[in-house]
Amino acid sequence: MADSKGREALIHSLAQSMGMGDAQKRTTTGRYNAETGTIMSNGRVISNATVVQAKNYFTAQYNKLCEMDDEGAKQMATLYEVAMEAIGIMVDSGKGTTE
């Protein structure tokens, strides 16, 4: 959409006029720093401890829900599985090979 940049600029301008400054700016992608294990997302740094905590949380929720005999719970378990696998892939991609 050609107007998306103009629309985004207007939104940020309104946010600044309301005293929100750059807090409402969003980046299009996050970056994983394999050296530190941190994620840079939306202008803030997410620590390695938080990344590990998130993976542990999604894994625990997955394990809890996949044991239930309920279709809705199993669908939610799949969403948690996607999140924990995505974190694992991101972390593993920064390790390189040990061959």
Side-chain angles (χ1 to χ4, degrees), residues 6-99:
R7 180 175 177 256
E8 186 175 336
L10 176 61
I11 291 169
H12 292 303
S13 176
L14 290 170
Q16 284 181 327
S17 71
M18 294 172 59
M20 297 173 138
D22 289 337
Q24 296 299 309
K25 275 191 176 176
R26 299 286 183 206
T27 59
T28 56
T29 60
R31 302 266 189 254
Y32 177 69
N33 183 332
E35 292 178 14
T36 62
T38 60
I39 299 172
M40 179 64 140
S41 177
N42 296 323
R44 63 188 193 104
V45 177
I46 300 171
S47 72
N48 178 267
T50 302
V51 172
V52 170
Q53 183 181 13
K55 185 171 183 187
N56 291 339
Y57 170 79
F58 290 125
T59 301
Q61 293 302 311
Y62 167 78
N63 290 332
K64 188 186 317 179
L65 291 171
C66 71
E67 294 175 0
M68 294 182 179
D69 190 25
D70 174 75
E71 190 58 35
K74 290 194 184 297
Q75 288 177 346
M76 286 301 298
T78 301
L79 297 178
Y80 285 120
E81 184 177 19
V82 169
M84 69 185 204
E85 290 297 332
I87 293 170
I89 290 167
M90 176 185 62
V91 170
D92 289 345
S93 71
K95 290 181 182 174
T97 60
T98 56
E99 293 179 23

